[in-house]
Amino acid sequence: MSPRAARIGVFGGTFDPVHLGHLVAAVNVRHSLDLDRLLLIVANVPWQKVGGRVVSDAEDRFAMVTAAVEGVDGLEASRLEIDRGGTSYTADTLAAVAADEPGAELFCVVGEDVAGTIGTWERVEEVRRLATLAVVNRPGAPPPTGLDGWRVAQVEIPALAISSTDLRARAADGRPLDYLVPAGAIRCIRDRGLYAETR
Ligand code: ATP
Ligand code: MG
């Protein structure tokens, strides 16, 4: 019998900072879809966010994700987009993962807010061809539309109303991040002096 094709989750994000919403999504998608590996891929230049606000240095965001997944089975922080450099497009990332793992089945993990805007992605047809969309529910996001023609796996997770936007505001005015952000990532924030500039 030939071995089962690897099943790999590609979970892209800015992760500025990474939080329990991301991690609960990651472990539950991995479990529900029986994935061998789930890669949290730190965007180098998130094209949808530049211009609107200052995005933390990619190395700082990668350090936080690395600390957050340490010791968690099957979850990996990925430097793929950072090492590629330039603007981060999921189409290129999926192609790179597919080239690394020939024959693997790929799952592109998104929250419902992102799933609803996927039509705006660069070379979205390539994304649709390369991966099944794994969609997790997210508080405040309407159920996504416009996914006709996609292979979709909806994964129900405990609803956590946590966002990086809110966490940056909390950090900037000194409110606690505890139990919203993993302890290792909080240590990174302290050690690197992140999100404190407006305090
Ligand atoms: P920001 O507020 O800066 O946009 P964010 O909390 O939305 O940050 P991102 O890095 O933008 O985090 O999100 C990466 C991915 O994680 C997206 O697909 C997003 O939908 C998903 N996600 C983020 N937070 C949650 C959450 N609380 N529950 C489910 N999915 C989430
Ligand atoms: Mg977001």
Side-chain angles (χ1 to χ4, degrees):
M1 209 171 73
S2 56
R4 184 185 84 152
R7 295 167 67 83
I8 301 177
V10 169
F11 188 16
T14 311
F15 302 116
D16 192 15
V18 65
H19 55 68
L20 271 288
H22 299 129
L23 297 163
V24 165
V27 294
N28 283 285
V29 167
R30 176 166 183 254
H31 174 80
S32 295
L33 302 181
D34 195 19
L35 305 184
D36 299 296
R37 303 164 64 203
L38 189 140
L39 314 177
L40 289 98
I41 303 202
V42 177
N44 186 46
V45 180
W47 61 276
Q48 288 169 313
K49 293 199 178 172
V50 289
R53 68 173 180 87
V54 176
V55 176
S56 302
D57 189 89
E59 294 297 345
D60 288 332
R61 291 181 286 112
F62 179 74
M64 290 187 278
V65 174
T66 301
V69 300
E70 203 193 316
V72 184
D73 226 28
L75 264 48
E76 299 170 33
S78 168
R79 298 187 54 86
L80 213 144
E81 292 186 351
I82 298 175
D83 291 345
R84 188 166 71 231
T87 306
S88 302
Y89 295 120
T90 302
D92 298 326
T93 302
L94 289 169
V97 174
D100 259 15
E101 293 260 5
E105 192 168 346
L106 303 187
F107 296 82
C108 177
V109 183
V110 290
E112 281 179 328
D113 57 320
V114 168
T117 64
I118 206 160
T120 67
W121 282 12
E122 176 84 8
R123 285 172 277 125
V124 66
E125 291 308 318
E126 289 175 37
V127 176
R128 184 160 68 178
R129 184 170 49 77
L130 288 168
T132 297
L133 207 58
V135 181
V136 297
N137 50 296
R138 183 169 192 189
T145 54
L147 296 179
D148 293 347
W150 287 80
R151 288 166 284 158
V152 176
Q154 180 82 34
V155 178
E156 216 45 44
I157 63 168
L160 293 172
I162 306 174
S163 72
S164 300
T165 301
D166 176 59
L167 292 165
R168 291 190 297 274
R170 296 179 71 85
D173 50 46
R175 284 174 288 157
L177 305 185
D178 305 272
Y179 307 113
L180 300 170
V181 174
I186 292 181
R187 276 194 292 278
C188 263
I189 292 171
R190 297 230 175 87
D191 294 350
R192 293 170 181 243
L194 305 175
Y195 311 120
E197 59 272 19
T198 58
R199 194 175 297 176

